[in-house]
Amino acid sequence: MRPTLVLAFCLCLALCLGMAAEARAQSDLRVTLLGTASPSPRANRFGPSTLVEVGDQKLLFDAGRGVPIRMWQIKVPMGKLDALFITHFHSDHVSGIPDLWLTGWLGPEFGRRAAPFRVIGPTGTKPLMENIEKAFAADVKIRLEDEKLPPAGIAIATEEFDRDGVVYERNGVKVTAFQVDHGAAIKPAYGYRVDYQGRSVVISGDTRFSENVIKYGTGSDLLIHEVGSARKELMVNLFAQRIIAHHTTPSEAGQVFTKAKPKLAVYTHIVLLSSATISEPTLGEVVAETRQTYDGPLEVGEDLMAFEIGDTITVKKP
Ligand SMILES: [Zn+2]
Ligand SMILES: [Zn+2]
């Protein structure tokens, strides 16, 4: 073979091998962190929301601020969602619902929902959705008349649950809700576990240290956990004490991970408190505190960080 032909052959082979590797990386269980913040408005972290693409389904867990923007950044049309699951009723987890519901119905490619918007959540989800429907009745009426959008696409199908158990099951995908502990006054509060073909993803929801997260998170592939942290100097402040008491500190989260032993632990809903004079802890400090109690695999989530879950877990940073 002439040297140029050999070179062309080698290039072609390298390209084909690369494509094969890329194809293998596409698993049928993919998780994308759409928003990783708490209520605090941050330009680089939107409200809490996690997309799980599993088998032939797209499931969304919480719909925080900016969820339609993040979904369309990864070219997932809102109209293609199979169900939205709600962990609890704090506004940071549900304030994106009207936008998702209404914008997901519009005619362009990012929307086009033609079937009812399916929402699954704890007791209280029905009144929430009924009231959202009332609040936006004028917009729906206008668009039905003016844009001739399909009435079925703006209908809402809500399902409520009031205890631990399976809340969704379709084509081998099973979603189990489990109670967590977000504080005495913040009930109901749930986390979720998604199971598919022997793989699993667990989302803690908002919680302080919870044995139930350990129970449902044990042996999971991906354990996505919230975290809250403030500097010692700030913890003399009652307001800071109250907020941190509703969340899991990094060293407590480390204990959860050490007991549950997920293949990969991931932080989301990162609560970092500060004041005019006391700065928020750095992410490096959050990790260092976690390392006091956990030495396994850990990622600090960012918006649009994605995880391909197969025999191994591939982390795709945005
Ligand atoms: Zn929250
Ligand atoms: Zn909360």
Side-chain angles (χ1 to χ4, degrees), residues 58-187:
K58 295 187 194 307
L59 311 177
L60 190 67
F61 293 84
D62 285 334
R65 178 191 298 130
V67 64
I69 300 172
R70 290 289 187 245
M71 283 188 70
W72 197 233
Q73 274 182 289
I74 55 169
K75 292 287 174 279
V76 172
M78 283 169 275
K80 291 268 186 281
L81 279 182
D82 291 276
L84 165 67
F85 298 81
I86 297 172
T87 59
H88 66 300
F89 300 115
H90 265 151
S91 60
D92 51 320
H93 298 255
V94 298
S95 66
I97 294 179
D99 199 1
L100 180 68
W101 170 56
L102 293 160
T103 312
W105 178 49
L106 301 186
E109 212 183 337
F110 56 74
R112 295 189 186 166
R113 190 187 323 102
F117 182 58
R118 188 172 179 188
V119 184
I120 299 169
T123 307
T125 303
K126 278 187 178 161
L128 172 72
M129 296 312 299
E130 283 163 10
N131 287 318
I132 288 175
E133 226 170 353
K134 276 184 207 149
F136 292 93
D139 178 61
V140 171
K141 185 171 176 285
I142 289 165
R143 290 186 194 277
L144 279 170
E145 281 176 25
D146 179 50
E147 295 173 41
K148 315 284 181 225
L149 295 173
I154 202 64
I156 300 175
T158 310
E159 292 155 54
E160 288 185 339
F161 56 82
D162 63 0
R163 67 198 69 181
D164 289 16
V166 176
V167 294
Y168 177 96
E169 208 161 10
R170 200 179 132 206
N171 294 348
V173 177
K174 187 172 81 175
V175 180
T176 307
F178 58 90
Q179 214 171 349
V180 293
D181 179 9
H182 197 13
I186 313 169
K187 290 175 189 291

